[in-house]
Amino acid sequence: MEVFVLRIEDPGCFWVTMKGCGPHVVDETEYKKLNAEMNQFYDKACEDEVKPITLEKDQLCVVFSEELKCWCRAVVKSIMYCADHYQIECFLVDYAKYTFVKSKDVRVAVEEFLQIPFRAKKCRLYCTKPVTLRVNFCEDTAKIVPAKRWDNAATRYFQSLLKATTQIKAKLCSVEDNTFHVILYVTVEDEKVCINDDLVLKNFAHFEEAKENIQSPAKGQDSQTSSNVDSSPVELVNPALAFRPVWLQEKVPMNLETGHTVSSSSLEKTYKRSNMDLNVNNESRFQNVSEERSFVFLNNKIEPTSVLEKAPLHDSLKKELAQDEFLGPNFTESYCWPAVARGCDVVAISYQGNDPFLYIPPVLAFLQVESCYKALPKRNGPLVLILCPGWRKAQLVFELLRKYSTCSRPLRPMLIILGKKKEEAETVKIQGCEIIVTTPYSLLRLYEYHLLLFSGLCHLILDEIEVLFSDAAEQVFVILDYYKKSLITEEWKYSPHQIIAVGTQWNKHIGSLIKEFMNDPYIVITALEEASIYGNVQQVVQYCVSSERTAVLLKIMDFTPNDLQKVLVFTNSVDEVEMVHKALESNSIFAFKMHKEMEFNFKDFLEHWTKSDSSGSRVVLVLTDDCMQFLEITDASCVIHFSFPSSPTIFGQRLYNMSDNFHNVIKDSSDQDHQQARNRTVCPDRHQINLQIDMLQNMPSKTIQTSGYVTVLPLHIVNATNYFGRIVDKHKDQYTILAEEINEYFKETSNRVAAQKVEKLALYGFCEETVFHRVQVVETSSKEENFNIKIKYIDEGRTSQVQSSQLLHLPAKFQHLPPQALEFVVCRVKPIDNDTEWNPRVTRYIHQKIERKPHEARVVLTLGNTVWIDPMVRVTRLSDLKIYVNEYSVRAEILSTGLGTDNPEHISQLERLYEHARVLSHMKNLEPLSIKEDAVSPRNVSELQNVSLQENSSENCNSSKVIMGNDPCDGVAQTKEAEDSSLHPQKCFYPEIKWFENEEAVTVKVLIARIADYKCEFSKEKVIFSACSEGKLYSVDMELYQCILKEESACVIKDKEAIILLRKEKKGAWCKLLKNKNPHVSFDFEYWEGFEDKSPFPVGTKKLHCTTAVTEELVDSSEDSGAESDE
């Protein structure tokens, strides 16, 4: 039969209307007649007679469509409560359209209008199932496998075929659950194509055997060829009942007159849950929604919306998104949008948690229902407040709102970023603004002058929640308190109030947010490692060298509690699986092993695994990561990482094996936190030392002044404190002379010779307007005759894109002078509000004030081509008085804008960074350091040798969840400053350190096995130790608690450790080894208990001193466990 396509979601779900003759076909004139009769009846009927008393999901009714301007048969899809009515989402069964109507436009479906079947027939391709490309990162392979959802590419190809066709015919093969299973044939350019076959041929789908319970044509019916596709099944469905919805008797009907359920439940209990798509069961659960192993952790069940047409958005917004080629909600958005659009509180943690599209479209859709806000008093404040961590993110959110809010009623979004100037906050006008985008600090400054800011606020959105809580936790909780206090008035009882928090990482403050400020929120976590934190998975790190991992693993197994009966040990290779399995068996630990090069007895393993709970015996499985997908284990009680996971994704998949044992951290009142603060190493103001840039770019024949006062000429302004320019020689500026010669040379047209060959890093001439410059080619994009290239003005520091044909040959005499461009950084000032980027307003202001004007500056530090300066002052000469005056200071000008603040520790931090960079640069040429006889007394050597005979005490592991392996130091330094985390490159490791003392000396044991080269430098207040072992570089920079005698201190190397003896300058007890705490440094308890029998030092002094030190360290440990991380 011939069909006409009404709506397409994917090849497995589309709607058609049928033409011609057949048992399922009704002539179009019948539908036109039905439509006319319905309009006549419902236009004249009394509303009270045909208005339904109750409504429930999947109920068949008649609604008035504003788009079609007529009454239509429809099926209820969802119900949303608003201030004075219900908003009903319906599916028009004769037009295959989704629409929203008010409850007053819903009528009872009279029986005489239900005699003919629905015009829109739901179809799917017969026995044609989707496939997808699965990439196995462990095996580095990719293969096509069956999938549960159609790829976007398959859907687009399916749509393109139907759009290009001139005729569509369908062969009806079966009917299942009111869905027609068809084989589609299309005519494209006079060629007939079977879409089912074509999708399989293009690797978009695969064929699957038909199910036995599906209604199918009679056996005697002949299979017809592609030229005859008008056949239909012999076994027919009653046309009057075709596509009639299934009534769900267990659903609770909603009384639209009173706003209560038929069972008289109160409105408060049903608000936010009136949509029947949601399950009120609060038990946490994982849902596996695709075969591509995309997982989501939910505390309340949510039906995802993965297709844009079904998304809870109004039609104009859908149209705008479709025009922007928006393919549909991604995995996280498909779970967030339904909950947000219904006005529920939502917490979403995802790898895409920094994407504003998680909340912007559904919030805009909710704002279109103006009746929800009628109960609010006349307000002077916004309906929606969006808090962003910085001005740049706020700018992005504002631009998106400004673009997509035009698809609806005027919402007037407003971006507010305020500095410290009071008059700036006073002049802000927020009347008539319904959406404010700002930062926590700016909002509190605004609130001082607009006390009614929260009077009408309904939606509070926290964007990048982990960054907000890391940088401005106090300010965020103050804002939450203001919002909470504004909800206690009577008019808020029937008005929406919603908090949305989205981010990429879990934060311990989110627990307080949920418990104190949210009302039964929907928690959506699609990042598995974050779900493990929410699920209260205890993670313990055991530090050890690679050669000792097996021994530590055996100790862990010995001390693992018996209630942990299902243990998984993950390794990275087949050899490691065999080695670990052999070690476990040799220690009488029953274990299975699994890897890709062996046959695995699944039946035997699963029998032991499932019976371990009842038998009380432990089951251990040693495996590689690529075996996880075959087992699909979710009830493991312990995961041991014998080898580090290769990626965060693999780490999350390992933890997913314990998902059945995850607990709700909010209910358990046990907040966990493992995230770091924002990455300060990318700060534009160069708060790190890069050895390759700063130590290795010293150009010959070019000397940069490292101290004193210089004249700085800023030529290219990057931001408020970072510029490129050059230092002007007050006596004879060589570049000024060269620039004059270059421009004089190129004035002659004959000298302007185009470059014949453009090479990367070569120097050329370039004319910009009427001025000629020396430029260097940085990047080339093609080998054509004329192509785009990126050049750098080597005497100014800026870059640009030009055509290769614009470059001129530069004679060698103009190339002898080294590049003059230097990078300048103004010190002791930084952006306000803990931001890492300067606001464009202050950058524009400084740009206009200083560009191409000479300034006097004092050099603080010089590294490579970067010069830190403080102060930088504009000096003006008064010719009449023959004196010089300071016109302005750049630092003071920045502070005057209110967008900058004082940074008094900037220079001291630079000096500390520079010192560490110097130390690391010397490590490349490490030499073995022998102990000189005249520097070490016999007593020192004797004490060091005695100490080395003691063995390291082992640590017991009493935790149920364990992570173990080698751990890079990741730049852990002995300072509280956040920037110090960038001091060490990632290839540098920080070893474990143990120490103990007596009255005269401190002994430090650096636990590094098989040290090859090392260096140990002593100073009065510091010890710097560096060493190489098995190709790894270790570095220790210890700022000591008290002073030592460096001449009497020494270091010796043993097999598994380096022992450093520090002779105290003043006798007495040290309460700690270092001035600042370090997680890698701990007290050696072996020299505290039973000291008299083991110590080589005088008896009677050690125990007293150790007690002081241990007490201090225990106090520090307890404080750390309960205190908030600075990171």
Side-chain angles (χ1 to χ4, degrees):
M1 68 189 74
E2 189 174 354
V3 298
F4 178 77
V5 178
L6 298 175
R7 180 186 186 86
I8 301 173
E9 291 186 5
D10 55 53
C13 183
F14 57 94
W15 282 265
V16 303
T17 180
M18 299 179 178
K19 302 179 181 179
C21 302
H24 296 282
V25 181
V26 178
D27 191 83
E28 283 293 318
T29 57
E30 294 294 325
Y31 288 111
K32 291 181 180 179
K33 180 180 178 181
L34 172 67
N35 189 41
E37 292 175 353
M38 287 173 56
N39 288 326
Q40 183 179 9
F41 174 80
Y42 288 108
D43 285 340
K44 296 181 178 180
C46 178
E47 180 177 341
D48 294 337
E49 295 179 357
V50 291
K51 187 174 182 180
I53 300 177
T54 62
L55 271 183
E56 59 184 7
K57 185 185 175 185
D58 288 336
Q59 180 173 336
L60 185 62
C61 58
V62 175
V63 300
F64 184 79
S65 170
E66 292 289 345
E67 179 184 358
L68 301 175
K69 303 299 182 184
C70 64
W71 293 93
C72 308
R73 298 186 296 179
V75 172
V76 176
K77 289 298 181 183
S78 64
I79 306 170
M80 183 193 307
Y81 176 72
C82 297
D84 58 351
H85 70 279
Y86 282 88
Q87 190 83 358
I88 314 299
E89 182 188 14
C90 298
F91 180 75
L92 305 183
V93 295
D94 294 321
Y95 302 93
K97 290 177 180 275
Y98 286 93
T99 186
F100 284 91
V101 299
K102 296 182 179 180
S103 55
K104 64 182 182 66
D105 293 329
V106 181
R107 300 290 184 268
V108 173
V110 180
E111 185 66 26
E112 64 183 77
F113 297 138
L114 302 178
Q115 298 306 308
I116 62 176
F118 300 156
R119 177 172 175 267
K121 308 294 192 299
K122 186 178 181 180
C123 300
R124 66 178 304 162
L125 296 182
Y126 177 66
C127 291
T128 307
K129 301 296 182 181
V131 296
T132 189
L133 186 67
R134 173 181 290 172
V135 179
N136 190 322
F137 293 100
C138 299
E139 298 181 357
D140 196 22
T141 60
K143 60 182 179 180
I144 295 177
V145 297
K148 293 185 178 180
R149 294 192 298 180
W150 288 91
D151 285 343
N152 290 329
T155 302
R156 286 196 296 267
Y157 181 72
F158 181 63
Q159 291 172 335
S160 65
L161 281 177
L162 295 179
K163 185 177 181 180
T165 185
T166 56
Q167 186 182 44
I168 305 174
K169 289 193 174 185
K171 176 181 178 180
L172 181 58
C173 300
S174 61
V175 179
E176 180 186 17
D177 296 333
N178 294 331
T179 301
F180 286 151
H181 293 237
V182 300
I183 299 177
L184 277 186
Y185 297 88
V186 297
T187 303
V188 180
E189 298 179 355
D190 297 329
E191 182 180 354
K192 191 163 291 186
V193 178
C194 175
I195 290 184
N196 303 54
D197 294 338
D198 198 44
L199 288 176
V200 175
L201 189 64
K202 298 289 194 304
N203 286 328
F204 287 125
H206 73 103
F207 284 125
E208 184 178 84
E209 292 295 330
K211 298 179 181 179
E212 295 181 0
N213 60 346
I214 297 179
Q215 299 180 33
S216 58
K219 295 180 180 180
Q221 185 176 355
D222 295 331
S223 299
Q224 304 202 19
T225 62
S226 59
S227 60
N228 183 10
V229 294
D230 296 333
S231 61
S232 57
V234 173
E235 187 174 349
L236 303 178
V237 179
N238 186 343
L241 301 178
F243 295 90
R244 190 68 58 86
V246 180
W247 295 87
L248 303 177
Q249 301 296 336
E250 68 275 15
K251 295 292 183 182
V252 180
M254 186 69 67
N255 190 317
L256 302 183
E257 298 288 343
T258 63
H260 293 77
T261 60
V262 174
S263 59
S264 301
S265 300
S266 65
L267 178 63
E268 287 82 359
K269 292 182 180 179
T270 57
Y271 178 43
K272 288 191 178 182
R273 297 293 180 271
S274 58
N275 189 308
M276 296 308 174
D277 284 338
L278 300 181
N279 188 337
V280 296
N281 182 3
N282 289 326
E283 292 183 4
S284 300
R285 60 185 60 83
F286 264 84
Q287 293 185 355
N288 184 351
V289 298
S290 75
E291 287 208 2
E292 292 82 1
R293 293 186 68 83
S294 295
F295 301 103
V296 59
F297 182 84
L298 306 171
N299 72 324
N300 291 299
K301 185 178 179 181
I302 303 174
E303 291 297 330
T305 303
S306 57
V307 181
L308 181 61
E309 287 79 1
K310 286 187 176 181
L313 312 177
H314 53 85
D315 293 338
S316 57
L317 181 55
K318 291 180 183 177
K319 184 177 180 181
E320 181 71 20
L321 291 172
Q323 289 177 351
D324 291 342
E325 298 183 354
F326 182 75
L327 298 178
N330 61 31
F331 183 74
T332 307
E333 291 166 352
S334 67
Y335 284 91
C336 290
W337 284 12
V340 173
R342 294 177 179 95
C344 305
D345 291 342
V346 176
V347 175
I349 305 296
S350 167
Y351 298 122
Q352 298 82 32
N354 55 1
D355 186 357
F357 254 71
L358 282 175
Y359 58 84
I360 286 180
V363 167
L364 291 177
F366 194 94
L367 289 172
Q368 299 314 302
V369 189
E370 294 185 77
S371 56
C372 292
Y373 307 101
K374 287 184 177 180
L376 291 174
K378 185 177 180 180
R379 57 187 184 274
N380 294 318
L383 289 174
V384 181
L385 176 61
I386 303 177
L387 291 182
C388 299
W391 67 266
R392 184 176 291 278
K393 183 58 179 290
Q395 181 74 36
L396 170 64
V397 173
F398 172 71
E399 293 296 337
L400 289 173
L401 286 170
R402 190 165 61 175
K403 177 179 181 179
Y404 291 107
S405 61
T406 57
C407 307
S408 57
R409 67 180 180 86
L411 295 174
R412 296 175 290 277
M414 187 174 184
L415 174 65
I416 300 178
I417 304 295
L418 300 176
K420 293 184 176 181
K421 288 185 175 181
K422 295 183 178 180
E423 57 271 19
E424 191 176 4
E426 290 177 350
T427 57
V428 174
K429 304 295 183 183
I430 63 173
Q431 284 77 11
C433 168
E434 297 195 29
I435 306 177
I436 286 181
V437 185
T438 185
T439 64
Y441 293 94
S442 294
L443 181 68
L444 292 179
R445 295 185 189 112
L446 180 68
Y447 181 70
E448 293 181 12
Y449 301 94
H450 298 270
L451 299 179
L452 297 178
L453 180 65
F454 292 90
S455 62
L457 186 63
C458 297
H459 310 271
L460 176 60
I461 302 173
L462 306 177
D463 194 308
E464 294 191 40
I465 184 66
E466 76 282 359
V467 183
L468 288 174
F469 278 140
S470 174
D471 291 354
E474 181 181 351
Q475 289 74 17
V476 171
F477 278 115
V478 169
I479 293 169
L480 287 168
D481 284 330
Y482 288 153
Y483 177 67
K484 186 176 181 179
K485 292 175 182 177
S486 68
L487 303 179
I488 60 176
T489 55
E490 179 66 23
E491 56 265 18
W492 278 98
K493 186 174 182 181
Y494 299 108
S495 300
H497 41 91
Q498 179 184 43
I499 298 178
I500 302 170
V502 298
T504 59
Q505 293 179 329
W506 185 265
N507 183 287
K508 64 182 179 183
H509 294 301
I510 298 179
S512 301
L513 169 68
I514 293 173
K515 287 186 288 187
E516 298 178 19
F517 302 98
M518 288 185 165
N519 179 20
D520 192 17
Y522 284 84
I523 301 175
V524 180
I525 306 178
T526 58
L528 278 174
E529 57 270 31
E530 304 304 323
S532 69
I533 302 301
Y534 171 83
N536 200 18
V537 176
Q538 301 175 25
Q539 306 204 30
V540 179
V541 178
Q542 288 287 348
Y543 294 95
C544 64
V545 295
S546 180
S547 59
E548 297 178 352
R549 285 185 299 167
T550 304
V552 175
L553 172 62
L554 295 175
K555 291 179 182 179
I556 290 173
M557 299 301 295
D558 289 339
F559 289 99
T560 302
N562 293 329
D563 58 342
L564 298 180
Q565 297 164 351
K566 299 180 178 181
V567 181
L568 297 178
V569 181
F570 284 98
T571 67
N572 285 343
S573 67
V574 174
D575 292 338
E576 286 186 346
V577 170
E578 297 291 346
M579 178 187 68
V580 172
H581 183 261
K582 185 177 180 180
L584 293 174
E585 283 192 334
S586 63
N587 283 264
S588 302
I589 300 175
F590 179 71
F592 290 90
K593 63 179 179 180
M594 183 179 183
H595 55 75
K596 60 184 179 181
E597 296 181 6
M598 62 170 287
E599 293 184 2
F600 186 71
N601 191 336
F602 283 95
K603 184 177 180 181
D604 185 36
F605 168 72
L606 293 175
E607 183 178 351
H608 282 81
W609 187 267
T610 54
K611 290 182 179 180
S612 62
D613 292 327
S614 57
S615 63
S617 60
R618 178 189 297 169
V619 179
V620 180
L621 174 63
V622 186
L623 71 162
T624 53
D625 293 318
D626 51 4
C627 299
M628 282 188 288
Q629 57 185 325
F630 304 109
L631 295 175
E632 297 185 355
I633 293 174
T634 57
D635 60 343
S637 51
C638 178
V639 166
I640 298 177
H641 305 272
F642 185 81
S643 302
F644 278 117
S646 58
S647 68
T649 302
I650 298 297
F651 176 68
Q653 290 177 356
R654 289 181 179 183
L655 295 182
Y656 177 71
N657 290 279
M658 299 186 294
S659 59
D660 288 354
N661 295 319
F662 282 10
H663 303 288
N664 190 325
V665 70
I666 309 303
K667 295 179 181 178
D668 295 343
S669 299
S670 176
D671 295 342
Q672 300 289 324
D673 184 19
H674 80 313
Q675 94 292 332
Q676 301 289 329
R678 273 188 288 183
N679 183 7
R680 300 293 184 178
T681 62
V682 297
C683 177
D685 286 338
R686 307 268 280 112
H687 287 165
Q688 66 175 350
I689 304 300
N690 186 314
L691 292 176
Q692 292 183 341
I693 295 176
D694 298 325
M695 297 298 187
L696 303 179
Q697 278 196 345
N698 295 324
M699 297 184 181
S701 305
K702 179 180 178 182
T703 303
I704 302 176
Q705 191 167 335
T706 58
S707 62
Y709 289 87
V710 295
T711 300
V712 174
L713 182 64
L715 300 172
H716 173 53
I717 313 302
V718 179
N719 58 45
T721 57
N722 186 209
Y723 331 119
F724 283 90
R726 59 188 183 88
I727 295 177
V728 180
D729 193 328
K730 297 179 181 178
H731 303 289
K732 184 180 180 180
D733 189 11
Q734 294 183 347
Y735 174 73
T736 302
I737 298 173
L738 179 67
E740 293 175 354
E741 293 177 354
I742 291 175
N743 282 274
E744 190 66 29
Y745 174 81
F746 282 116
K747 277 185 179 179
E748 296 290 336
T749 308
S750 59
N751 293 333
R752 301 177 191 176
V753 180
Q756 298 297 322
K757 184 179 180 181
V758 177
E759 297 180 347
K760 190 175 181 179
L761 302 182
L763 296 182
Y764 300 92
F766 178 73
C767 181
E768 187 178 48
E769 296 180 352
T770 59
V771 180
F772 291 88
H773 301 270
R774 298 191 302 171
V775 298
Q776 182 182 44
V777 176
V778 179
E779 293 179 4
T780 60
S781 58
S782 176
K783 294 185 178 180
E784 299 174 0
E785 292 184 1
N786 189 19
F787 53 92
N788 289 329
I789 59 173
K790 183 179 181 180
I791 61 171
K792 178 180 180 181
Y793 297 76
I794 63 173
D795 300 312
E796 295 188 6
R798 57 193 172 97
T799 60
S800 66
Q801 294 280 347
V802 299
Q803 296 288 320
S804 60
S805 59
Q806 296 178 265
L807 298 183
L808 304 174
H809 172 70
L810 185 68
K813 64 179 181 179
F814 298 136
Q815 300 184 25
H816 70 279
L817 188 67
Q820 298 296 295
L822 300 175
E823 182 183 14
F824 298 100
V825 180
V826 175
C827 298
R828 294 192 302 117
V829 63
K830 62 182 179 181
I832 59 173
D833 304 343
N834 291 328
D835 213 329
T836 58
E837 295 182 272
W838 284 103
N839 191 296
R841 286 155 52 193
V842 64
T843 297
R844 284 194 298 268
Y845 174 72
I846 295 299
H847 182 279
Q848 296 170 359
K849 202 167 189 68
I850 72 171
E851 186 183 28
R852 299 188 179 274
K853 297 178 183 178
H855 293 72
E856 299 300 314
R858 181 173 67 89
V859 176
V860 174
L861 178 65
T862 300
L863 289 175
N865 290 335
T866 303
V867 181
W868 283 265
I869 53 180
D870 182 47
M872 177 178 172
V873 181
R874 170 71 171 163
V875 177
T876 303
R877 183 177 184 272
L878 302 179
S879 56
D880 295 339
L881 301 178
K882 297 181 179 181
I883 60 174
Y884 291 87
V885 296
N886 293 342
E887 184 177 340
Y888 61 82
S889 166
V890 174
R891 177 176 176 274
E893 290 296 314
I894 294 174
L895 294 174
S896 68
T897 63
L899 297 171
T901 187
D902 189 31
N903 186 14
E905 298 180 357
H906 190 182
I907 295 177
S908 62
Q909 292 173 10
L910 287 173
E911 293 173 349
R912 188 161 51 250
L913 286 165
Y914 176 64
E915 180 64 25
H916 279 277
R918 275 199 324 116
V919 172
L920 292 175
S921 66
H922 292 317
M923 289 182 182
K924 296 181 179 180
N925 299 316
L926 284 174
E927 298 178 359
L929 179 63
S930 59
I931 301 176
K932 297 181 179 180
E933 294 182 0
D934 58 351
V936 183
S937 64
R939 182 182 62 173
N940 290 348
V941 176
S942 174
E943 292 175 356
L944 290 168
Q945 291 174 344
N946 289 335
V947 171
S948 67
L949 298 177
Q950 305 295 333
E951 295 181 355
N952 294 334
S953 59
S954 61
E955 297 181 7
N956 295 345
C957 176
N958 296 321
S959 176
S960 59
K961 314 295 184 287
V962 180
I963 299 177
M964 58 178 295
N966 294 326
D967 185 47
C969 68
D970 289 334
V972 178
Q974 323 304 324
T975 175
K976 295 180 181 178
E977 298 299 330
E979 287 80 5
D980 287 356
S981 64
S982 64
L983 298 182
H984 301 285
Q986 292 184 351
K987 294 182 180 180
C988 171
F989 288 77
Y990 203 108
E992 182 180 1
I993 295 175
K994 294 189 177 184
W995 71 283
F996 59 91
E997 65 167 343
N998 68 0
E999 191 177 46
E1000 298 178 351
V1002 174
T1003 303
V1004 179
K1005 297 193 292 184
V1006 184
L1007 305 182
I1008 304 176
R1010 290 179 292 279
I1011 294 177
D1013 296 336
Y1014 79 97
K1015 178 178 288 187
C1016 189
E1017 298 179 0
F1018 298 94
S1019 63
K1020 189 175 181 180
E1021 298 178 344
K1022 182 182 292 189
V1023 176
I1024 300 176
F1025 177 84
S1026 55
C1028 287
S1029 174
E1030 298 181 337
K1032 295 181 180 179
L1033 178 63
Y1034 295 85
S1035 175
V1036 178
D1037 186 352
M1038 296 182 284
E1039 190 173 355
L1040 301 173
Y1041 175 65
Q1042 290 187 9
C1043 297
I1044 62 171
L1045 300 173
K1046 63 177 183 178
E1047 297 81 5
E1048 297 186 23
S1049 301
C1051 174
V1052 295
I1053 302 299
K1054 297 297 179 182
D1055 182 42
K1056 294 186 178 181
E1057 61 192 8
I1059 301 178
I1060 304 173
L1061 181 68
L1062 306 176
R1063 187 65 58 184
K1064 296 178 180 179
E1065 184 179 70
K1066 296 181 181 180
K1067 294 183 180 181
W1070 287 15
C1071 63
K1072 53 185 178 181
L1073 177 65
L1074 307 176
K1075 285 186 177 180
N1076 299 294
K1077 290 177 289 186
N1078 188 301
H1080 299 276
V1081 179
S1082 62
F1083 186 82
D1084 195 340
F1085 287 88
E1086 187 173 347
Y1087 292 91
W1088 182 38
E1089 299 294 344
F1091 172 79
E1092 292 81 356
D1093 298 330
K1094 299 181 180 180
S1095 175
F1097 299 104
V1099 177
T1101 61
K1102 170 68 184 294
K1103 194 165 186 177
L1104 175 62
H1105 301 327
C1106 288
T1107 303
T1108 304
V1110 171
T1111 303
E1112 176 72 17
E1113 292 208 0
L1114 290 177
V1115 171
D1116 290 344
S1117 176
S1118 64
E1119 289 176 352
D1120 289 343
S1121 64
E1124 176 186 350
S1125 172
D1126 292 333
E1127 294 293 307

